């Protein structure tokens, strides 16, 4: 084909790439592209996407990323297929942090639509990774949007999803949204666990709302969720920061009594 005059059209070469990928000749796809590049045969986004996919399927995602400068050099626009493939390749190699960073770059720079990219992330575990990363990046709007998209796609948010969102909202002091999320959890029969309550209590204490945190702990106990050492430590720290050392001391004694009772029950 390379020696034919006139040269076959680009779609003909694309069909060759597609056939080789279907036959799982991934290394041959790489060799063919290298030869075409050397001979200056025209390439397009379809070929690049197949090449990226081939590298990812043989677990050479780093080589796939090395192709990105070709997009810049040739003026071929980045597309959602290429980014989906890169994300999938990163997850396949357990490079979760790199996948999250890539996703955040896509979100920040509006390279492609988030809902299209998320077709690569089919389960709640993978969604939770990205939601948590967005929350830590203080991009709560995108995180909440992603949570809503999960429900639209039939993927149910869990306590981990809501825990990340509540933590992010607490750090920004958006208490009304925190209350809304708690109500939403209960309405969806997703009951806050000890970890979720601890996140909220810690967030309140760090914002100087220790009385509210104490009320949350009481509510937590009423709902049958027993405080753990983290809960008590956070409340004590909150009271100390608020200058209420005596109340912190009382919480400390309550913690000791609760631990003693638990030990006695175990002994029985």
């Amino acid at each position: 084909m390379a020696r034919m005059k006139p040269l076959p059209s680009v779609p003909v070469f694309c069909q060759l790439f597609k056939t080789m990928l279907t036959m799982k000749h991934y290394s041959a796809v790489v060799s063919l592209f290298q030869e075409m590049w050397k001979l200056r045969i025209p390439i397009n986004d379809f070929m690049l996407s197949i090449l990226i996919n081939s590298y990812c399927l043989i677990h050479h995602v780093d080589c796939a990323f090395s192709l990105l400068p070709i997009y810049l050099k040739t003026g071929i626009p980045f597309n959602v297929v290429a980014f989906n493939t890169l994300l999938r390749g990163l997850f396949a190699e357990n490079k979760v942090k790199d996948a999250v960073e890539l996703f955040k770059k896509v979100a920040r720079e509006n390279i492609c639509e988030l809902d299209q990219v998320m077709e690569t992330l089919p389960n709640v575990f993978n969604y939770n990774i990205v939601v948590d990363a967005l929350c830590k990046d203080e991009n709560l709007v995108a995180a909440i949007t992603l949570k809503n998209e999960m429900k639209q796609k039939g993927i149910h948010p869990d306590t981990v999803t809501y825990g990340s969102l509540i933590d992010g909202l607490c750090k920004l002091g958006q208490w009304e949204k925190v209350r809304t999320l708690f109500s939403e959890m209960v309405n969806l029969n997703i009951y806050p666990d000890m970890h979720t309550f601890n996140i909220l209590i810690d967030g309140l204490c760090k914002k100087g709302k220790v009385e509210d945190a104490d009320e949350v702990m009481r509510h937590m106990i009423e709902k049958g969720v027993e405080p753990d050492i983290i809960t008590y430590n956070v409340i004590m720290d909150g009271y100390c920061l608020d200058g209420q050392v005596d109340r912190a001391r009382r919480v400390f004694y309550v913690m000791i009594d609760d631990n003693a009772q638990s030990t006695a029950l175990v002994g029985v």
Side-chain angles (χ1 to χ4, degrees), residues 91 96 100 118 120-131:
F91 277 116
V96 177
V100 170
M118 292 314 298
T120 307
L121 308 175
N123 59 46
V124 67
F125 173 76
N126 290 335
Y127 269 93
N128 284 345
I129 291 171
V130 180
V131 168

Side-chain angles (χ1 to χ4, degrees), residues 5-43:
K5 292 185 180 180
L7 196 70
S9 65
V10 171
V12 176
F13 282 101
C14 288
Q15 185 60 47
L16 182 58
F17 271 88
K18 183 179 178 181
T19 302
M20 293 170 72
L21 182 69
T22 303
M23 295 174 69
K24 300 183 179 180
H25 294 323
Y26 309 129
S27 296
V29 169
V30 173
S31 298
L32 176 63
F33 184 88
Q34 289 174 342
E35 187 174 352
M36 289 181 63
W37 184 254
K38 188 160 100 176
L39 294 172
R40 300 178 184 264
I41 295 173
I43 60 171

Side-chain angles (χ1 to χ4, degrees), residues 139-211:
N139 193 349
L140 270 298
V141 173
I144 292 172
T145 299
L146 203 53
K147 182 262 298 179
N148 294 334
E149 287 179 7
M150 288 173 68
K151 293 192 289 185
Q152 291 170 4
K153 292 178 182 291
I155 298 172
H156 303 291
D158 58 13
T159 54
V160 177
T161 319
Y162 282 98
S164 296
L165 291 168
I166 289 167
D167 184 47
L169 290 169
C170 284
K171 287 174 180 173
L172 295 178
Q174 298 184 14
W175 307 113
E176 285 302 320
K177 290 184 179 179
V178 170
R179 293 190 188 93
T180 300
L181 280 181
F182 259 88
S183 299
E184 184 179 301
M185 288 180 71
V186 174
N187 290 337
L188 293 172
N189 294 320
I190 305 171
Y191 294 99
D193 58 10
M194 181 172 59
H195 180 65
T196 311
F197 278 113
N198 283 348
I199 288 172
L200 178 56
I201 291 168
D202 182 57
L204 288 166
C205 287
K206 284 179 177 174
K207 293 294 183 179
K209 295 179 174 289
V210 65
E211 300 294 342

